[in-house]
Amino acid sequence: MKSKEKLIHTLVSNSKFESRQLTNDTLLAAEDYIDESEQNGPEAIGKRAFEILQHNLKGGEKLELESIKVGL
């Protein structure tokens, strides 16, 4: 994800999400996906994680989803 400002200063891990800020303008979120179905595959889980971060981080509404990847 891209951010215009630093939103996380270390690692945040809780029951809703796990995320860390790689650079001042790049965040990573880690999630497990359930299966390859449309509802539970990587794309769906990634989009849900993005929405959770948007709503739970101060300044999260400014996040931009850059990509969703499996197995970094």
Side-chain angles (χ1 to χ4, degrees):
M1 286 168 265
K2 290 292 183 184
S3 171
K4 298 198 185 299
E5 60 187 88
K6 192 165 185 151
L7 301 178
I8 298 174
H9 295 282
T10 57
L11 168 75
V12 175
S13 181
N14 58 42
S15 62
K16 293 184 180 181
F17 65 89
E18 180 177 316
S19 186
R20 71 182 76 226
Q21 187 114 17
L22 287 183
T23 65
N24 284 340
D25 64 351
T26 304
L27 276 84
L28 282 182
E31 289 295 331
D32 295 325
Y33 71 96
I34 300 166
D35 55 40
E36 294 292 334
S37 70
E38 189 174 323
Q39 300 165 329
N40 295 317
E43 191 77 17
I45 297 294
K47 287 179 181 178
R48 285 196 296 261
F50 175 66
E51 290 170 1
I52 289 169
L53 287 166
Q54 281 185 304
H55 292 98
N56 287 280
L57 288 176
K58 184 176 181 180
E61 68 279 354
K62 297 176 186 173
L63 285 173
E64 297 174 26
L65 184 59
E66 185 174 54
S67 65
I68 296 172
K69 298 180 183 176
V70 175
L72 281 178

